[in-house]
Amino acid sequence: MSGAAKRSFTAAGRDRPPSKRGTGPCHTVAMPALDRAPEPITADPPHHTDRPFLFQSWLDLAFLHWAAEPSVVAPLLPVGTRPDTLDGLTYIGLVAFRMHRVGWFRLPGIPYLGSFPETNVRLYSVDARGRRGVVFRSLDASRLIPVAVARAAFRLPYVWSRMSVRRDEDTVTYSSHRRWPGPRGAHSEISVRPGERIEEPSALEHFLTARWGMHNAFFGRSMYLPNTHPRWPLHRAELLHCEENLITAAGLPAPAEAPASVLYSPGVPVRFGRPPRAPAGIPTP
C-alpha cells in the first residue's frame, strides 16, 4: 500500500510513561476556544440515555494507545472540537473487538448482520461545551451492509474488511484485511494475552476508556452523539504481536514506539442516545 509503512510491535502491556515528544512532529495549529472547562473524566456515564435509538454490545476488546502531540491530530478533528489531553498529550487509539447484536430502537438485536468483528482508529476530542468524546478516523468491519448504512446515514468512515477474532487458550487474536473502499492493503494483526482485573484504573486508563460520546462531521456540521454503558471491566494485557498500517492509512504518523498502554476488556452493553437538542428543537453541534 503506498504511503503507509508497515510496523510490528511486541511489548508488555502495562502503563508506562509516554515519551514527552509523543507521536509525530509538532506543528502550530489554531485550536478552537472552549466555552467551558472539559467535563470531569468519570468511570460511570455523566448523563442518562432517556431515548436510546441504538443498542449494541462491544465484546473482547483490545485497547492499544500511543501518545501524540495535540498539534499532530488537531487538523484531523471535526470543526468545533480540539484534541483532548492528559498531562499535555493526546492519544491515538487502535481498538479491536467484536460487535454483537446491533439493534434499533426497541427491536431485538440482529444476530448475523448486527454481529461482526471491528477494528477502529480513534482520536480523543473535546468540544466548546466541554463534552469529551472520540473521533473515528477509520472503522474496519466485516459486514458490507452495516458498512454501507453507516457511511450513507451517519457519514462514519466505515470500511469493509475481511476480519476474524480468534481465542486460543489464553490469547485473543484480531485480524483485519481491507476490501473496500481502501486503501487496499491496509491491515492489522494483533494478539494479546489478557491478565488480571484492574481494580483501580489509573488516570490514563480512565482517560482512554471512559468516553461518553462521539464527535463526527455530519453534512458540514460537527455533531455529538452520546452513549452510556456500565463501568468498564478492565484487565491488564500483554501485547504478543502487533503488525498494522491502519494508523498511517487513517492519515496519522506511524508510531515510532511500542504502545504506551495495552488493555483488555470482556466488554459491555451500550446504548446510544439521540443528539442533544436546543430549546427550539434543533440538534445542537
Side-chain angles (χ1 to χ4, degrees):
M1 182 181 86
S2 62
K6 180 171 67 177
R7 294 160 314 286
S8 179
F9 295 110
T10 303
R14 295 183 179 273
D15 275 358
R16 57 183 179 82
S19 165
K20 293 297 182 182
R21 177 178 57 83
T23 296
C26 181
H27 304 284
T28 300
V29 177
M31 306 276 189
L34 300 181
D35 295 338
R36 63 187 70 173
E39 61 190 9
I41 298 172
T42 59
D44 298 301
H47 50 250
H48 298 287
T49 307
D50 297 325
R51 297 191 303 154
F53 77 98
L54 183 62
F55 298 82
Q56 54 196 238
S57 290
W58 302 333
L59 305 178
D60 287 323
L61 299 97
F63 297 90
L64 280 60
H65 284 92
W66 290 264
E69 295 289 345
S71 59
V72 172
V73 307
L76 303 177
L77 299 181
V79 174
T81 66
R82 62 188 295 165
D84 198 6
T85 61
L86 180 69
D87 297 329
L89 291 174
T90 190
Y91 287 82
I92 298 168
L94 182 65
V95 182
F97 64 102
R98 290 191 298 114
M99 183 78 79
H100 183 64
R101 295 184 74 94
V102 176
W104 296 93
F105 301 101
R106 298 192 178 276
L107 298 175
I110 305 171
Y112 175 76
L113 289 178
S115 298
F116 47 85
E118 180 174 317
T119 298
N120 61 60
V121 175
R122 72 188 200 180
L123 306 176
Y124 293 83
S125 53
V126 61
D127 62 22
R129 299 175 61 185
R131 298 174 298 192
R132 299 179 188 266
V134 298
V135 172
F136 293 108
R137 290 295 299 166
S138 66
L139 303 102
D140 286 68
S142 64
R143 298 279 187 261
L144 178 57
I145 291 177
V147 165
V149 171
R151 290 178 66 89
F154 298 101
R155 296 299 190 267
L156 287 170
Y158 265 94
V159 291
W160 184 36
S161 297
R162 185 175 69 255
M163 306 183 74
S164 66
V165 178
R166 306 185 305 277
R167 181 177 285 274
D168 182 15
E169 296 181 352
D170 61 345
T171 66
V172 186
T173 299
Y174 311 82
S175 174
S176 175
H177 297 267
R178 192 165 294 178
R179 287 172 161 169
W180 175 86
R184 297 296 295 270
H187 71 279
S188 65
E189 296 281 346
I190 302 167
S191 293
V192 299
R193 178 180 293 124
E196 71 273 12
R197 174 79 177 261
I198 302 173
E199 299 300 332
E200 294 293 335
S202 67
L204 176 60
E205 288 159 350
H206 278 312
F207 178 88
L208 297 175
T209 60
R211 294 279 142 174
W212 306 111
M214 172 183 68
H215 292 109
N216 186 50
F218 190 74
F219 291 106
R221 299 181 62 193
S222 178
M223 300 294 290
Y224 177 79
L225 193 67
N227 71 73
T228 59
H229 57 71
R231 182 177 296 206
W232 281 108
L234 294 175
H235 291 247
R236 305 285 179 202
E238 179 184 2
L239 180 61
L240 303 176
H241 179 72
C242 177
E243 181 180 313
E244 65 84 32
N245 56 14
L246 297 184
I247 291 176
T248 50
L252 292 153
E257 303 173 344
S261 174
V262 181
L263 299 170
Y264 171 84
S265 177
V268 291
V270 185
R271 293 152 51 106
F272 280 90
R274 296 170 175 82
R277 291 182 175 271
I282 300 172
T284 60

